[in-house]
Amino acid sequence: MKIGVIQFEPLFGEVDRNLELAGSLIMKSDADLLVLPELFNTGYVFTSKEEAISLSEQIPQGRTTQMLCDVAKEKGIFIAGGLAEKGGNGIFNSSVLVSPDGYVGRYRKVHLFFEEKLWFDPGDEGFKVYDTGVCKVGIMICFDWFFPESMRALSLMGADIICHPSNLVMSFCQDAMKTRCLENHVFAITANRTGTESRGGKSLHFTGKSQITGPDGRVLFRAGETTEEAGIMEINVNEARSKKVNEYNDLFKDRRSDFYSILTESDR
Amino acid sequence: MKIGVIQFEPLFGEVDRNLELAGSLIMKSDADLLVLPELFNTGYVFTSKEEAISLSEQIPQGRTTQMLCDVAKEKGIFIAGGLAEKGGNGIFNSSVLVSPDGYVGRYRKVHLFFEEKLWFDPGDEGFKVYDTGVCKVGIMICFDWFFPESMRALSLMGADIICHPSNLVMSFCQDAMKTRCLENHVFAITANRTGTESRGGKSLHFTGKSQITGPDGRVLFRAGETTEEAGIMEINVNEARSKKVNEYNDLFKDRRSDFYSILTESDR
């Protein structure tokens, strides 16, 4: 199968323009599964909770999810991408997964970064894995990568491919994803954005270098720092199904969960 | 405080020579905490369980632990290093921690690599952290690094510094330790060995490049591939005590342990 990442610069609040650009980039890309950046429809640097509310949409009724469903149907592909979600119980930094048959599911970012904590509510649904029929897909968003538990949970749930919509402002993630993919023997598609957003006296620069990483920790594709581009790779998803390192070691069977209990103690 | 790593080539079965060489390297090194490689007293490529039994020693009664206690007392320092342990309930790939006042504690390797599974029993005591009075020290051995749970557990238990006796034969660890230290905001001392051991028709090459890594993921020291050397770094252990990434994010407080339960499910 072919998996791909779409990197571009969303402009803050220009939802029409961002959806149109994302849609045209998707239409030009030949892949079975494509990943768009975090908050690709709205931009990132919110200045108030009200602004986040006003730019958020219901999932799947909102127009961003509907646009993605439309192009997914037209192209016959799966797409994951990030948007601000107006939920019944809060405003979330979410990603949807859509298929040729319509909306599949959503992920609400569990580990919020920096001022996101002012605009969004922390994800309340945990991690989920979706079976596309060809592969199993897990979603995490940007800063989730910093917590090894995110990709570990998705991988233990059976994910072959981690879709990773991102708006990265630090320099660590791309190299760290080599370790993340290696330790879990999965593929990951990190879709970052480019450009600088300056609003309300704040300025954030997004670092591009969107990346597709293989289960052996190899970087299969890395985009430019500032380019608008799609990166597509042909992969054999079966490579993510075996967790064997050698004839004696299996990364999942060798886990010693009896000794990991401190990782899930809630009173820490 | 000063922390250091000692890298050399143990020769298989030549315990006298290995202890003498390790002792002389320790005596020449000016640090408060030193780490020696995995199985530094015996070498690595066992060819039978009987061989592992015959080269294993009781902890702390055996001569390797006693030698380490002697030099730790003479130098007034802490030392961690790996040896084959003859336990009441099995033969373990262990590491001891010794202090100027004598034996402190041991760690029995939890994730055995490759044919170690033929010679050793899997560690049955889990992860432990020891307070030296100046810093808190956790121990893991070699392949434990591959499982993010190892360093996560030690760090959540309060370790500032991870002592990591190793006999690395793969190329991934040194770069991965940058992510391990970054995700936990701790120091790590990876003490690798050098040389090639060929025994019983098998040959393993050990990759050197012992490494001291900082809580921001920076490599503070990296040894040569084939050199016999000690690497010593002055560190401020307080850097490992704050888990803050920025004014909104704390790597430990931001953990969402309610969503990590799959990591400790024992029926996987």
Side-chain angles (χ1 to χ4, degrees):
Chain A
M1 66 177 290
K2 286 185 182 172
I3 61 177
V5 58
I6 288 181
Q7 170 174 300
F8 69 103
E9 179 179 357
L11 297 180
F12 190 87
E14 301 189 20
V15 180
D16 287 345
R17 177 268 188 194
N18 295 335
L19 293 185
E20 191 173 339
L21 177 54
S24 75
L25 291 168
I26 293 167
M27 289 306 292
K28 284 189 275 187
S29 301
D30 179 28
D32 304 295
L33 169 64
L34 284 173
V35 182
L36 297 161
E38 179 183 13
L39 296 168
F40 81 90
N41 62 333
T42 59
Y44 184 83
V45 182
F46 293 90
T47 57
S48 70
K49 179 108 188 172
E50 292 64 40
E51 204 171 52
I53 293 170
S54 76
L55 283 166
S56 65
E57 304 177 13
Q58 286 185 290
I59 293 177
Q61 301 91 331
R63 64 173 168 153
T64 298
T65 308
Q66 289 307 309
M67 180 283 280
L68 291 177
C69 287
D70 290 346
V71 286
K73 184 177 183 182
E74 190 165 345
K75 293 279 290 184
I77 66 174
F78 285 76
I79 308 170
L83 68 160
E85 180 192 359
K86 197 189 303 280
N89 51 340
I91 305 295
F92 300 97
N93 183 343
S94 296
S95 171
V96 290
L97 180 68
V98 302
S99 78
D101 299 322
Y103 172 73
V104 176
R106 74 175 162 228
Y107 165 69
R108 292 170 166 175
K109 189 175 185 177
V110 151
H111 306 97
L112 295 174
F113 180 71
F114 200 59
E115 292 187 342
E116 291 171 30
K117 292 191 178 188
L118 304 178
W119 328 131
F120 296 110
D121 296 287
D124 58 349
E125 299 179 330
F127 299 101
K128 282 182 281 189
V129 168
Y130 300 98
D131 192 342
T132 74
V134 175
C135 64
K136 289 187 177 176
V137 168
I139 307 175
M140 66 177 189
I141 299 177
C142 204
F143 190 53
D144 283 327
W145 78 262
F146 217 113
F147 299 81
E149 293 88 353
S150 308
M151 256 177 81
R152 191 59 135 189
L154 290 168
S155 302
L156 289 172
M157 293 165 77
D160 307 306
I161 302 173
I162 309 297
C163 296
H164 186 205
S166 296
N167 276 190
L168 295 163
V169 294
M170 296 192 290
S171 61
F172 303 110
C173 176
Q174 285 87 345
D175 276 346
M177 289 303 288
K178 296 190 262 181
T179 299
R180 290 278 174 270
C181 287
L182 182 68
E183 71 201 18
N184 293 300
H185 270 212
V186 294
F187 293 91
I189 310 168
T190 300
N192 196 16
R193 59 162 287 178
T194 60
T196 299
E197 257 181 39
S198 300
R199 303 191 70 245
K202 288 170 294 182
S203 186
L204 285 180
H205 177 69
F206 303 94
T207 53
K209 299 187 194 175
S210 292
Q211 182 170 298
I212 300 175
T213 317
D216 54 359
R218 269 192 308 139
V219 174
L220 304 177
F221 170 81
R222 190 178 281 181
E225 276 188 60
T226 58
T227 42
E228 178 178 297
E229 62 179 303
I232 315 287
M233 292 302 300
E234 174 88 38
I235 64 159
N236 178 358
V237 76
N238 287 322
E239 287 177 23
R241 301 256 160 97
S242 167
K243 307 301 179 186
K244 282 186 95 65
V245 181
N246 55 54
E247 61 186 296
Y248 294 97
N249 290 110
D250 178 295
L251 288 183
F252 284 4
K253 291 187 186 139
D254 285 345
R255 295 177 72 251
R256 305 286 305 276
S257 53
D258 289 356
F259 296 132
Y260 304 158
S261 56
I262 196 169
L263 272 74
T264 51
E265 285 172 16
S266 58
D267 58 345
R268 293 201 61 78
Chain B
M1 67 177 291
K2 286 184 181 172
I3 60 176
V5 58
I6 288 181
Q7 170 174 300
F8 69 104
E9 179 179 357
L11 297 180
F12 189 88
E14 301 188 19
V15 179
D16 287 343
R17 177 267 187 193
N18 296 334
L19 292 186
E20 191 173 340
L21 177 54
S24 74
L25 290 167
I26 293 167
M27 289 307 293
K28 283 188 276 186
S29 301
D30 179 28
D32 304 295
L33 170 63
L34 284 172
V35 183
L36 296 161
E38 179 183 13
L39 295 168
F40 81 90
N41 62 334
T42 60
Y44 184 84
V45 182
F46 293 91
T47 58
S48 70
K49 178 108 187 171
E50 290 64 40
E51 205 171 50
I53 292 170
S54 76
L55 284 166
S56 65
E57 303 177 14
Q58 285 185 289
I59 293 176
Q61 301 91 331
R63 65 173 168 152
T64 298
T65 308
Q66 289 307 311
M67 181 282 281
L68 291 176
C69 287
D70 290 345
V71 286
K73 183 177 183 181
E74 189 164 346
K75 294 278 289 184
I77 66 174
F78 285 76
I79 308 170
L83 68 159
E85 179 192 0
K86 197 189 304 279
N89 52 340
I91 305 296
F92 300 97
N93 183 343
S94 295
S95 172
V96 290
L97 179 69
V98 302
S99 78
D101 299 322
Y103 172 72
V104 176
R106 72 175 163 227
Y107 165 69
R108 293 172 166 174
K109 189 174 185 179
V110 151
H111 306 97
L112 296 173
F113 180 70
F114 199 60
E115 292 187 344
E116 291 170 31
K117 292 191 178 187
L118 303 178
W119 328 132
F120 295 111
D121 296 288
D124 57 350
E125 299 179 330
F127 299 100
K128 282 181 281 190
V129 168
Y130 300 98
D131 193 341
T132 74
V134 175
C135 64
K136 289 187 177 176
V137 168
I139 307 175
M140 66 176 189
I141 299 178
C142 204
F143 190 53
D144 284 327
W145 76 265
F146 217 112
F147 299 80
E149 294 88 353
S150 308
M151 256 178 80
R152 191 59 135 189
L154 290 168
S155 302
L156 289 171
M157 292 164 77
D160 307 306
I161 302 174
I162 309 298
C163 296
H164 185 205
S166 296
N167 277 192
L168 295 163
V169 295
M170 296 193 289
S171 61
F172 303 110
C173 175
Q174 284 87 346
D175 276 346
M177 289 305 287
K178 297 191 260 181
T179 299
R180 290 278 175 272
C181 287
L182 183 68
E183 71 201 17
N184 293 300
H185 270 212
V186 293
F187 292 91
I189 309 168
T190 300
N192 196 16
R193 60 162 287 179
T194 58
T196 300
E197 257 180 39
S198 301
R199 303 191 70 245
K202 290 171 291 180
S203 186
L204 285 180
H205 177 69
F206 304 93
T207 54
K209 298 187 194 175
S210 292
Q211 181 170 299
I212 300 175
T213 317
D216 54 358
R218 270 192 308 139
V219 174
L220 304 177
F221 170 81
R222 190 178 281 182
E225 277 188 59
T226 58
T227 42
E228 179 178 297
E229 62 179 305
I232 314 287
M233 293 301 301
E234 174 89 38
I235 65 160
N236 177 356
V237 75
N238 287 321
E239 288 178 23
R241 301 256 160 96
S242 167
K243 306 302 178 185
K244 282 185 95 65
V245 182
N246 56 55
E247 61 187 293
Y248 295 96
N249 289 111
D250 178 294
L251 287 183
F252 283 4
K253 291 185 186 142
D254 285 346
R255 296 178 71 251
R256 304 287 306 278
S257 53
D258 289 355
F259 295 132
Y260 304 158
S261 57
I262 195 168
L263 271 74
T264 51
E265 286 172 14
S266 58
D267 58 347
R268 296 200 60 77

